[in-house]
Amino acid sequence: AAMYSGAAAGPPRRDFISVTLGPEDAVGVSGYNNSKAWRRRSCWRKWKQLSRLQRSIILFLFAFLAVCGVISYTSMGEAWKSITNKSLDDQRTEQEIRRLKLANPAVLPAPQKADANHGDYPELSLQKPPKLPHVRRGPSNLQIKAPQRDMRLKTQHNTVRAVEELVEVDKVEKTEKSIISWRGAVIEPDQSTEPPSNKITEPEKPSSVEAEDQKEPVPINERQLAVIEAFRHAWKGYKDFAWGHDELKPLSKSYSEWFGLGLTLIDALDTMWILGLKEEFEEARKWVANDLVFDKNVDVNLFESTIRILGGLLSTYHLSGDSLFLEKAKDIGNRLMPAFKTPSKIPYSDVNIGRGTAHPPRWTSDSTVAEVTSIQLEFRELSRLTGDEKFQKAVDEVMKHVHTLSGKNDGLVPMFINTNSGQFTHLGVYTLGARADSYYEYLLKQWIQGGKKENGLLEDYMRAIEGVKKHLLQRSEPKKLTFVGELAHGHFSAKMDHLVCFLPGTLALGAHNGLAADHMKLAETLIETCYEMYAQVETGLSPEIVHFNLHAQKGHKDVEIKPADRHNLLRPETVESLFYMYRFTGDKKYQDWGWEILQNFNKYTRVPTGGYTSINNVQSPSNPEPRDKMESFFLGETLKYMFLLFSDDIDLINLDKYIFNTEAHPLPIWVPA
Ligand code: DMJ
């Protein structure tokens, strides 16, 4: 404005009137009293002083500004409206998030925790699903991701984005959930469509000792107490009348000798350990320490002394950890070795453990097939414990030799083998009973003992079971019980030894170890038959041998008994199989059947003054004709399997850690290197 002052000196021009307003303004400033009337008047005067052109321009400018104002008002109103609506939406979204959070509280951790431990929650589960073998199924996987979801909600101010992320996370979770169930369907072994017979599983590591130690002890139940009572009663008879001798004669209150090695006492050692009979065990241990001497001029049967004495000492060593039993096992093992000095390396049946000489029975140079092929578990274990491979070498050679022999019928073996030629003799007769039984049992059990690697053994076992199915299975009348008969030169005989009742248990053990599922089916059928061999008899006790009726006859049951076969020796095979069946199926009927059998032993074979006795006539409840002998396997096997059958503790001799020898002595399954 000061620049224009010089211009005011020229001719007066209306355009410069505004410049002359300065003094007025100055006056006005000095006399400023903020009066509205004064300002109105002054403005109007000034307006009047403007030219028409000036007034038109100003009016035009005002009109233009007014139009602009209206336009911008409209667009700002829209913007405002949208802002207002958006915040309402946001409020709803937050409610939705809260609702979602509450709907799934189990998988969401406490929010503070998520914030506080931001770094503790791994990112990987969202990005990378874990690899298949380590998949933890179901909620545990979701638990790992849940904190991220919550964390994001807490740390994001933009709720819209939070919702987007929530949807994304849910999508990932849904995908992962379905992946998990899909994986489950594929990897579940029981849903496998692969034929189980082709499945040779990797060696399983037995569960750790520490895990067992941490376990709560499972209390002993009523039925187990009844077994303990029965054992004590049997032991009382042995202690009172047969201490240190082979077998109790409970009626004559005396004893019988077979090898003169305290057979019952050694056979019963691990049973006492398992039943928790500490006092009795300690007393028996003292006898072993002070009185058990193998340096004796006595002939022993290789098989019987291996399964009862060597097997009993080895298992007691494993259970108790007491090296006394290992020393004794080494001693008897060494003394039995001369049996293998034969032209064929198929061992002789008898050994003089004092002289170190061996020989076949007087009437033949044959050995029994079951005998020479059922000493392997024990000798192999002795090698493992002593580091001396001679024991294992000797018995492995027998198995390898038998594996290659001709004379088998679809895996079924004859009953005799010659110690000179090494060939089977008496060809053409096939049974799963006496003289062949434990050959089949030990094929499977050696395979398991050695960590399921010796495929020759498995091959022979699988082939033999096919042979049983093809040649020896028939169904009886009227109950259509499946039984295992015998084959003699092409003729089927409906005869079945009680000894064959080991088979359901062995089949079940094989199925448990990954073999064909139809083996388990067969086991279930056969154990029913074995039970009927007791249930259909007047005393509820099985005879030594039964014949099954193949044709229905009025008034006849499935089971027929010949006078020469109606004795019962307190044998274990049926209770043994009941034990396996109960362990693998959990079906209580097997326990109930075993309970019936125990009660019938108590009713017909218990001798009041101590001990139990074999009987001559299972068909006569009024006079079962006691035989006056308690076999060592009644304490070594029958009562042990009863006790285990009634137990619900699968770690009481865990079948994935131990393998029972044919005299019920548990030996460890070798842990794979
Ligand atoms: C036991 O010595 C063994 O179980 C053997 O395998 C067969 N005979 C008796 C029991 O019956």
Side-chain angles (χ1 to χ4, degrees):
M3 295 176 38
Y4 295 116
S5 308
R13 284 180 57 185
R14 282 187 183 170
D15 289 355
F16 295 101
I17 288 171
S18 62
V19 176
T20 60
L21 283 176
E24 280 185 40
D25 274 353
V27 172
V29 167
S30 58
Y32 184 67
N33 61 3
N34 209 20
S35 149
K36 279 182 186 170
W38 181 85
R39 269 191 288 159
R40 234 179 277 131
R41 247 182 287 123
S42 163
C43 281
W44 180 243
R45 203 174 337 120
K46 280 169 189 168
W47 175 252
K48 282 285 179 192
Q49 286 170 354
L50 294 177
S51 67
R52 186 167 288 148
L53 177 66
Q54 283 174 319
R55 275 189 251 157
S56 304
I57 290 167
I58 289 167
L59 283 173
F60 173 75
L61 282 173
F62 268 118
F64 177 73
L65 286 173
V67 169
C68 287
V70 169
I71 291 168
S72 68
Y73 175 77
T74 319
S75 64
M76 276 178 73
E78 281 300 311
W80 178 250
K81 226 167 107 184
S82 84
I83 287 166
T84 317
N85 287 347
K86 208 156 96 177
S87 77
L88 282 171
D89 280 350
D90 287 349
Q91 278 172 27
R92 270 208 301 275
T93 312
E94 273 169 341
Q95 279 168 5
E96 180 70 0
I97 293 162
R98 257 201 306 278
R99 192 182 59 74
L100 282 170
K101 283 169 79 174
L102 287 171
N104 204 0
V107 295
L108 290 171
Q112 323 86 287
K113 222 179 171 182
D115 272 346
N117 299 313
H118 188 284
D120 291 342
Y121 297 99
E123 286 288 336
L124 90 142
S125 63
L126 266 178
Q127 271 102 43
K128 277 191 219 163
K131 281 184 189 159
L132 192 139
H134 306 293
V135 164
R136 287 198 295 158
R137 300 170 68 204
S140 48
N141 251 4
L142 301 176
Q143 293 252 6
I144 297 169
K145 289 190 295 291
Q148 283 189 327
R149 175 206 283 187
D150 190 73
M151 205 166 60
R152 285 177 187 181
L153 292 176
K154 293 289 285 179
T155 54
Q156 300 293 334
H157 295 296
N158 183 341
T159 50
V160 176
R161 200 169 149 218
V163 171
E164 280 167 8
E165 288 190 8
L166 185 69
V167 171
E168 264 175 40
V169 169
D170 277 349
K171 263 197 228 160
V172 175
E173 282 186 0
K174 270 182 197 143
T175 321
E176 290 205 357
K177 268 183 202 164
S178 57
I179 288 170
I180 290 159
S181 58
W182 171 80
R183 279 175 183 155
V186 171
I187 62 170
E188 282 292 12
D190 53 355
Q191 292 178 27
S192 167
T193 50
E194 205 181 285
S197 56
N198 296 336
K199 216 162 59 183
I200 299 170
T201 51
E202 278 297 300
E204 265 171 45
K205 209 178 166 188
S207 55
S208 69
V209 174
E210 302 87 72
E212 240 171 70
D213 287 345
Q214 286 162 10
K215 236 188 75 178
E216 284 282 302
V218 178
I220 287 175
N221 59 46
E222 289 291 311
R223 287 178 176 182
Q224 285 179 292
L225 284 174
V227 179
I228 290 175
E229 193 282 323
F231 184 96
R232 280 208 161 116
H233 183 78
W235 191 248
K236 176 187 163 13
Y238 178 74
K239 201 179 150 186
D240 289 353
F241 311 119
W243 185 251
H245 298 285
D246 282 344
E247 288 135 352
L248 168 69
K249 293 178 79 174
L251 294 177
S252 50
K253 300 190 176 68
S254 159
Y255 59 85
S256 57
E257 292 295 28
W258 188 6
F259 310 141
L261 297 172
L263 207 55
T264 296
L265 187 148
I266 299 175
D267 226 359
L269 281 168
D270 58 3
T271 305
M272 290 187 270
W273 185 271
I274 291 167
L275 269 57
L277 302 176
K278 215 176 156 216
E279 249 174 58
E280 289 85 346
F281 179 83
E282 284 307 326
E283 217 175 344
R285 186 208 176 271
K286 252 183 228 155
W287 183 86
V288 172
N290 304 327
D291 301 298
L292 178 59
V293 178
F294 294 126
D295 190 9
K296 271 185 176 176
N297 180 9
V298 59
D299 275 357
V300 302
N301 175 284
L302 170 70
F303 164 73
E304 298 291 358
S305 51
T306 298
I307 64 168
R308 300 186 200 211
I309 299 175
L310 179 56
L313 291 168
L314 288 174
S315 71
T316 308
Y317 165 67
H318 277 294
L319 296 176
S320 67
D322 186 338
S323 60
L324 165 72
F325 300 107
L326 179 57
E327 288 312 310
K328 293 288 178 188
K330 270 192 243 172
D331 190 4
I332 185 72
N334 274 310
R335 289 171 185 278
L336 292 173
M337 285 307 283
F340 295 91
K341 284 189 198 141
T342 69
S344 65
K345 299 200 178 147
I346 297 298
Y348 290 129
S349 60
D350 296 285
V351 193
N352 187 304
I353 51 171
R355 289 201 191 141
T357 55
H359 58 88
R362 269 194 299 277
W363 59 93
T364 176
S365 57
D366 287 351
S367 284
T368 298
V369 169
E371 291 193 357
V372 301
T373 56
S374 310
I375 49 180
Q376 279 66 16
L377 292 176
E378 301 80 357
F379 277 88
R380 282 154 51 112
E381 178 59 10
L382 188 58
S383 271
R384 197 181 70 91
L385 289 172
T386 59
D388 187 343
E389 61 181 18
K390 72 175 179 220
F391 306 110
Q392 170 148 15
K393 247 180 133 187
V395 294
D396 278 355
E397 209 142 311
V398 176
M399 292 315 294
K400 276 185 212 143
H401 178 79
V402 172
H403 176 72
T404 61
L405 274 188
S406 59
K408 292 179 197 156
N409 185 3
D410 289 317
L412 303 176
V413 290
M415 295 187 288
F416 297 99
I417 186 164
N418 190 271
T419 50
N420 294 320
S421 68
Q423 298 298 309
F424 288 129
T425 63
H426 303 81
L427 301 182
V429 181
Y430 303 100
T431 174
L432 264 275
R435 299 183 187 281
D437 50 0
S438 44
Y439 160 73
Y440 304 101
E441 179 188 348
Y442 268 38
L443 286 175
L444 177 77
K445 289 184 172 178
Q446 286 176 81
W447 178 69
I448 295 170
Q449 178 194 42
K452 305 184 199 172
K453 286 185 255 181
E454 297 149 292
N455 290 337
L457 295 164
L458 178 63
E459 227 176 78
D460 288 351
Y461 176 74
M462 296 301 284
R463 195 167 295 146
I465 300 304
E466 288 312 303
V468 170
K469 288 196 253 176
K470 187 169 165 191
H471 300 289
L472 304 182
L473 290 188
Q474 287 270 3
R475 299 226 289 172
S476 66
E477 293 294 344
K479 276 194 148 181
K480 306 205 183 307
L481 304 171
T482 300
F483 68 93
V484 185
E486 297 183 353
L487 197 65
H489 311 291
H491 293 288
F492 180 81
S493 159
K495 165 182 176 267
M496 181 166 157
D497 293 353
H498 181 271
L499 286 170
V500 182
C501 288
F502 81 93
L503 187 60
T506 298
L507 287 168
L509 181 65
H512 175 73
N513 279 280
L515 303 186
D518 72 326
H519 285 200
M520 193 61 190
K521 284 266 155 287
L522 183 56
E524 282 166 5
T525 323
L526 288 176
I527 191 63
E528 295 239 11
T529 306
C530 290
Y531 169 66
E532 290 292 332
M533 285 163 66
Y534 286 70
Q536 291 195 10
V537 180
E538 288 79 349
T539 54
L541 291 174
S542 170
E544 180 73 357
I545 298 168
V546 300
H547 287 79
F548 285 94
N549 280 315
L550 292 174
H551 308 287
Q553 292 174 67
K554 220 176 160 206
H556 283 255
K557 297 179 186 162
D558 301 71
V559 165
E560 298 283 355
I561 305 166
K562 304 208 164 163
D565 304 332
R566 58 188 184 199
H567 49 288
N568 179 298
L569 305 184
L570 313 169
R571 285 197 190 276
E573 290 76 17
T574 295
V575 248
E576 168 186 352
S577 283
L578 287 172
F579 157 64
Y580 284 105
M581 296 306 292
Y582 180 67
R583 271 281 168 102
F584 298 139
T585 66
D587 190 335
K588 300 259 180 213
K589 80 176 174 203
Y590 299 125
Q591 288 185 324
D592 295 342
W593 292 352
W595 181 239
E596 277 176 37
I597 294 171
L598 178 63
Q599 284 172 307
N600 291 326
F601 276 136
N602 274 329
K603 205 162 169 188
Y604 298 108
T605 71
R606 186 174 163 116
V607 178
T609 45
Y612 288 75
T613 178
S614 312
I615 54 173
N616 260 332
N617 191 352
V618 292
Q619 292 181 297
S620 173
S622 59
N623 181 15
E625 300 169 33
R627 266 194 173 188
D628 196 19
K629 183 165 175 176
M630 183 173 79
E631 300 280 350
S632 78
F633 50 70
F634 183 62
L635 299 191
E637 297 194 67
T638 312
L639 291 180
K640 184 190 287 153
Y641 282 131
M642 288 269 190
F643 187 80
L644 294 171
L645 164 66
F646 298 142
S647 168
D648 281 315
D649 182 2
I650 60 155
D651 283 321
L652 186 59
I653 313 297
N654 187 314
L655 290 173
D656 293 321
K657 294 179 185 174
Y658 291 96
I659 193 85
F660 283 94
N661 86 339
T662 193
E663 189 75 7
H665 298 303
L667 299 173
I669 292 171
W670 301 342
V671 180

